[in-house]
Amino acid sequence: MSARASDGSAQRLVAGIDSSTQSCTVVIRDAETGALVRRGRAPHPPGTEVDPAAWWDALQAALAEAGGLADVGALAVAGQQHGMVCLSADGDVVRPALLWNDTRSASAADDLVAELGAKEWAEAVGSVPVASFTVTKLRWLATHEPQHAANTAAVCLPHDWLTWKLRGSADIGDLVTDRSDASGTGYFSGVTGEYRRDLLERALGRADVVLPRVLGPAEEAGRTPDGVLLGPGAGDNAAAALGLGAGQGDVVVSIGTSGVVSAVTTTATTDDTAIIAGFASATGEHLPLVCTLNAARVLDSAAAMLGVDHDGLSRLALAAPPGAGGLVLVPYLEGERTPNRPDATGALHGLTLGTSTPAHLARAAVEGLLCGLADALDALVAAGVPVQRAFLVGGGARSEALARIAPAVLGRPVLLPTPGEYVADGAARQAAWVLAGTTAPPEWAAADTVAFEAETTPSVRERYAEVRELTAHRVT
């Protein structure tokens, strides 16, 4: 860490950190206005099992590229959720962290649900465990690496570990987290605000490990050795919602490798079908979330099939009529999570002489992707979550056709923000909130957005519903 500024500038700037699966991004922003001052980025190593030291090295590189922290008054870390970081009594990493996308714990998830029942899990922690959840990874650890399990004195998440390292502590009793990230472990209730150590014991075989203290949305997490104030941090989806300024009635539709539909709401969800994950927000409410496996890569695949780039795919899709003349693409190209069809494949229905054109196929690809996301949105609405408008973010949101067709399929107005680092921005906004000591986060200028509205086309959803179950199993 560099020497602190003495001219008062450190009270005017805050830093937000996004430690994602692929990289570490740092933004430095004005604490009052949110104006971007500078930024930095560094890559993370590939793989689903990573030594946390690599996150620390990337953070140092990203901070250096962003000009350091000498003039920064506060910072907060947002990060990929669910990752299992096990520490010894001395604070050493017991084994490389298992990330959210490490699926070796899939059978452990099945076992945990079978033992307790989906309904009991949903009522206890708002979610039914799947392979991504920390609790399933702890069961895998206890079963397959019992010595590592025995040496584990504390369990934390990626953003917890980085906050702890930034504090300069080696005492596992100093670990802290926030509700949003804790709610993705499978042993914390966002409703009661308490850990369920009985579920931790069910997974790990013991409940005597140290768990991070859960801080409030704007509670101080300590300071760095150089005096920079630390915020509690957040899980990545919760931080993105804070960075976008999403509030009651807003749903964030993220179209990346996977599709994520989440909403900030006072409504707690307990879905024993495992479609909705009952996570918490970074601002004290709840953040129910639905994930689909097939999102931006549906557009990638359609463009490749048609021999065009993404702009060309958009032009083709917008040239075809709504509903593509009855042509429907069920986009289960990698199986599907919502609905739970892991062995399904994609399917094309309604092919006729009239619909056998590149334009119709392009339109069917866009509408099929959106119908899958609309199914996810419907699940939230059915759970009592109010949805009035949708923010469209992620790489797939850059598709003009998708943005223009989305309001017709989703049945809500769509806002397309300027592409940005919304997870890091949310962390920076939290840091400014902690620095100010106010009851609500600062009112920063909203990201520039383009609004899209269109008449709803229920026939598109109806046609999709007719055929979405008609898929072939994957050939192995």
Side-chain angles (χ1 to χ4, degrees), residues 254-260 291-299 330-339 341 344-346 368-370 372-373 474:
S254 177
I255 304 173
T257 302
S258 61
V260 177
C291 183
T292 68
L293 288 183
N294 296 279
R297 284 188 284 196
V298 175
L299 303 180
V330 181
Y332 299 165
L333 306 186
E334 297 182 277
E336 187 45 77
R337 171 74 182 82
T338 305
R341 303 278 304 281
T345 58
L369 188 164
L370 286 168
L373 293 170
R474 187 174 301 276

Side-chain angles (χ1 to χ4, degrees), residues 108-130 133-136 139 183 185-189 196-204 269-274 276 278:
D110 292 341
D111 291 344
L112 287 168
V113 175
E115 290 168 14
L116 195 60
K119 188 173 186 295
E120 288 75 9
W121 277 104
E123 290 177 350
V125 295
S127 304
V128 179
V130 292
F133 282 31
T134 322
V135 70
T136 71
R139 168 61 71 87
S183 65
T185 60
Y187 46 83
F188 175 84
S189 169
R196 288 291 302 265
R197 285 189 175 269
D198 58 320
L199 301 180
L200 174 68
E201 184 173 8
R202 177 175 290 276
L204 188 60
T269 59
T270 54
D271 180 17
D272 59 12
T273 70
I276 302 174

Side-chain angles (χ1 to χ4, degrees), residues 132-420:
S132 59
F133 282 31
T134 322
V135 70
T136 71
K137 301 178 191 304
L138 290 172
R139 168 61 71 87
W140 180 90
L141 185 74
T143 302
H144 295 277
E145 297 181 357
Q147 191 57 51
H148 284 150
N151 291 338
T152 296
V155 180
C156 63
L157 300 166
H159 113 254
D160 310 341
W161 186 82
L162 283 170
T163 301
W164 181 69
K165 288 285 288 183
L166 283 164
R167 189 172 174 180
S169 177
D171 182 352
I172 58 176
D174 289 337
L175 287 164
V176 295
T177 190
D178 85 306
R179 287 175 66 249
S180 71
D181 219 2
S183 65
T185 60
Y187 46 83
F188 175 84
S189 169
V191 175
T192 66
E194 296 178 349
Y195 284 114
R196 288 291 302 265
R197 285 189 175 269
D198 58 320
L199 301 180
L200 174 68
E201 184 173 8
R202 177 175 290 276
L204 188 60
R206 41 190 273 258
D208 60 345
V209 296
V210 172
L211 297 176
R213 183 166 60 92
V214 182
L215 302 180
E219 189 174 346
E220 295 183 9
R223 292 181 180 271
T224 71
D226 287 332
V228 181
L229 188 62
L230 294 169
D236 50 6
N237 289 297
L242 181 59
L244 284 165
Q248 290 282 331
D250 292 334
V251 64
V252 180
V253 180
S254 177
I255 304 173
T257 302
S258 61
V260 177
V261 180
S262 60
V264 176
T265 177
T266 56
T267 302
T269 59
T270 54
D271 180 17
D272 59 12
T273 70
I275 292 175
I276 302 174
F279 296 156
S281 74
T283 44
E285 307 91 352
H286 301 281
L287 191 80
L289 179 150
V290 182
C291 183
T292 68
L293 288 183
N294 296 279
R297 284 188 284 196
V298 175
L299 303 180
D300 295 341
S301 298
M305 288 170 62
L306 295 171
V308 297
D309 60 14
H310 282 277
D311 288 340
L313 184 72
S314 279
R315 286 192 294 271
L316 287 170
L318 292 171
L327 188 66
V328 178
L329 175 67
V330 181
Y332 299 165
L333 306 186
E334 297 182 277
E336 187 45 77
R337 171 74 182 82
T338 305
N340 190 20
R341 303 278 304 281
D343 296 322
T345 58
L348 193 63
H349 297 279
L351 194 62
T352 67
L353 291 175
T355 60
S356 301
T357 73
H360 284 81
L361 178 57
R363 182 86 184 201
V366 174
E367 290 180 341
L369 188 164
L370 286 168
C371 282
L373 293 170
D375 286 348
L377 191 151
D378 285 351
L380 293 180
V381 173
V385 177
V387 177
Q388 297 173 350
R389 63 178 185 172
F391 285 95
L392 208 59
V393 299
R398 297 187 178 96
S399 164
E400 181 184 358
L402 190 141
R404 292 191 178 280
I405 296 170
V409 177
L410 300 180
R412 272 91 177 168
V414 166
L415 297 179
L416 184 65
T418 302

